[in-house]
């Protein structure tokens, strides 16, 4: 295989950061902060939100009212003590000097930090995102074209099978059931389990996988796993989830129903309030 | 807008981590490590690779030979001193006890760490990735279905405009030229610049944007930006990059040429060597 290693440059390291039961400090409560809150809630973190109530975006207020995982302090950032036991910091305030001060405090403590609007103060950037249940997709243009990232995101949304998120969820459930039935880590059994799951995913298309219910999973394990084969969807009575048109590619509108909205607007909102430097950190919204 | 905040759960925080000029320690040199090396090189980091030469994967050897950014130590991990001045640690070795020891040392020092095969020892996971120049896309199923992530990745590849990566690159160049011509951060000018770039991205389709060369960019700025309008591609003589079929969706094979290969094979390789627990950390390869 020929490799052009010199071309390996100009990108970021795309990661799925784990925040379950971690503690994230968000400083600011406006439009941008509300997007951050959503992303962090999705990742199962606890949030401390520091922002004067007067400046809270309606969506931020909604999140505070509806989530028991957010603790809101009606004040500005007070100093180093606000960083005690914090695992990650996201700031989205207009005060550049204060933002830089928070970043410096985080860096001393090696707390990962993202400062909206100030790329050099960011250990990481956000990208355009699609989320559908446990399925998450991020598009990054590495600051070259946030608008293009959004256009590409919409093309991806259109191309995604309508029930991709549900399919991922159902496959996850099937894997859990399989592990209960044939427990143990690694070894020959582990390999056989993985091979069988791969075979199922190859034999069934995504919208078929999305139809799996408890009964079908049981039959798939009884008639499939136990007999070392993969029954076809029709053999299990799959009422395949199809788009009305029968087309492989759902329209953007038909997709809206099955993709969880990422709650907010898009670049238009960002564009109205921030400058080009935002390119790096634009949390793209729908 | 109705929001089901309770459903905001079960995901990760997808990030574009910045590693330019940072120092990443990779422990291990096998199949999995070679994938890590590639991802980290793409993000412009310096790498210290600790692994006995005897266990190096051919691709790892190639990376060491071809990249001046890799320093290889022909030995096993020696202890805490190996973590001095390190910004991130990725391990991919078979020794579970050693892996856990490295993880504990990283946690004490608050160094972000990913330990292949041991999800609880990971601050972050990797996902299926597509890369084309500055365009990067990550698909995460949050451990529910690594094979499905790959199937979805291929559907996205097929749906991406053939020259999406080039378009992102060209748009980045156009933005730089625009900033040179109309410098300054924020304010009315910043907003006008952003609006005009958004208008260009909306008016030109992706394969047209990919045709932008120096001369066309100059004319776009002279006849467009200066006159507050957006000339159509044909007015600038765009020799639009089209797929032979004229179809919107290139075939997977036609796409191969324009997408940078992420260098390696895919899940099959992973499946052969690792267990189901790998789901969380599968670096999916083509």
């Amino acid at each position: 295989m020929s490799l052009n290693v010199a071309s390996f440059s100009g990108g970021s390291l795309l990661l799925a950061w784990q925040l379950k039961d971690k503690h994230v400090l968000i400083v600011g409560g406006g439009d941008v902060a509300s997007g951050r809150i959503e992303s962090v809630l999705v990742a199962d973190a606890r949030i401390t939100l520091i922002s004067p109530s007067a400046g809270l975006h309606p969506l931020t207020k909604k999140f505070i009212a509806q989530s028991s995982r957010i603790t809101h302090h009606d004040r500005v950032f007070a100093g180093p003590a606000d960083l005690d036991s914090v695992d990650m910091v996201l700031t989205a305030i207009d005060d550049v000097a204060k933002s830089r001060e928070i970043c410096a405090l985080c860096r001393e403590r090696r707390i990962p930090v993202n400062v909206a609007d100030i790329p050099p103060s960011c250990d990481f950037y956000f990208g355009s995102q699609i989320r559908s249940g446990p399925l998450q997709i991020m598009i990054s243009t590495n600051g070259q074209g946030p608008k293009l990232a959004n256009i590409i995101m919409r093309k991806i949304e259109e191309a995604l099978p309508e029930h991709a998120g549900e399919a991922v969820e159902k496959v996850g459930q099937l894997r859990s059931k399989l592990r209960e039935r044939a427990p143990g880590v690694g070894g020959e059994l582990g390999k056989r389990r993985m091979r069988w799951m791969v075979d199922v995913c190859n034999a069934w298309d995504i919208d078929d996988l999305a139809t799996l219910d408890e009964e079908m999973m049981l039959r798939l394990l009884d008639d499939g796993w136990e007999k070392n084969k993969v029954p076809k969807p029709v053999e299990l009575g799959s009422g395949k989830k199809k788009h009305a048109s029968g087309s492989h590619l759902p329209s953007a509108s038909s997709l809206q129903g099955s993709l969880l909205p990422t709650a907010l607007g898009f670049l238009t909102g960002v564009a109205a309030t921030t400058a080009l430097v935002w390119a790096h950190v634009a949390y793209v919204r729908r």
Side-chain angles (χ1 to χ4, degrees), chain A residues 249-265:
Chain A
L249 304 181
S251 69
S253 61
S254 74
L255 201 66
Q256 297 302 329
S258 58
L259 288 180
L260 272 177
T262 55
L264 296 172

Side-chain angles (χ1 to χ4, degrees), chain A residues 50-225:
Chain A
I50 295 182
S51 177
S53 285
L56 295 182
H57 187 275
L59 198 57
T60 303
K61 287 184 194 166
K62 220 169 244 187
F63 285 135
I64 293 171
Q66 293 188 21
S67 175
S68 60
R69 286 191 273 131
I70 305 177
T71 304
H72 174 223
H73 298 302
D74 176 12
R75 59 173 174 82
V76 297
F77 181 83
D82 281 340
L83 299 177
D84 287 352
S85 81
V86 164
D87 298 298
M88 174 177 275
V89 173
L90 311 174
T91 84
I93 53 178
D94 289 331
D95 186 336
V96 172
K98 178 67 79 179
S99 295
R100 291 208 168 108
E101 179 196 327
I102 296 171
C103 174
L105 291 170
C106 290
R107 296 255 159 101
E108 280 169 20
R109 288 159 181 74
R110 300 190 73 111
I111 302 172
V113 60
N114 173 286
V115 176
D117 267 339
I118 311 184
S121 296
C122 293
D123 292 323
F124 53 87
Y125 303 141
F126 294 94
S128 298
Q129 296 201 21
I130 298 170
R131 182 166 61 87
S132 176
L135 174 64
Q136 292 181 282
I137 298 169
M138 175 165 70
I139 299 100
S140 170
T141 59
N142 285 289
Q144 300 299 297
K147 174 63 188 173
L148 260 192
N150 179 252
I151 290 172
I152 290 166
M153 180 186 77
R154 272 182 282 154
K155 282 186 189 295
I156 291 174
E157 273 184 331
E158 285 168 23
L160 274 183
E162 188 173 348
H163 302 283
E166 285 165 86
V168 170
E169 202 174 334
K170 296 299 177 63
V171 164
Q173 290 168 9
L174 180 65
R175 288 176 71 210
S176 297
K177 287 180 198 300
L178 176 56
R179 268 193 298 246
E180 279 168 28
R181 189 176 284 227
V185 172
E188 276 311 308
L189 185 64
K191 282 182 200 164
R192 203 196 131 207
R193 266 192 326 232
M194 184 184 270
R195 265 195 312 270
W196 187 77
M197 285 302 307
V198 166
D199 289 344
V200 170
C201 290
N202 280 329
W204 287 49
D205 73 31
I206 288 178
D207 286 333
D208 279 321
L209 289 169
T211 67
L212 281 170
D213 58 21
E214 286 284 325
E215 193 194 322
M216 286 165 69
M217 288 188 205
L218 192 65
R219 290 186 55 197
L220 194 50
L221 290 168
D222 286 344
D223 299 347
W225 168 257

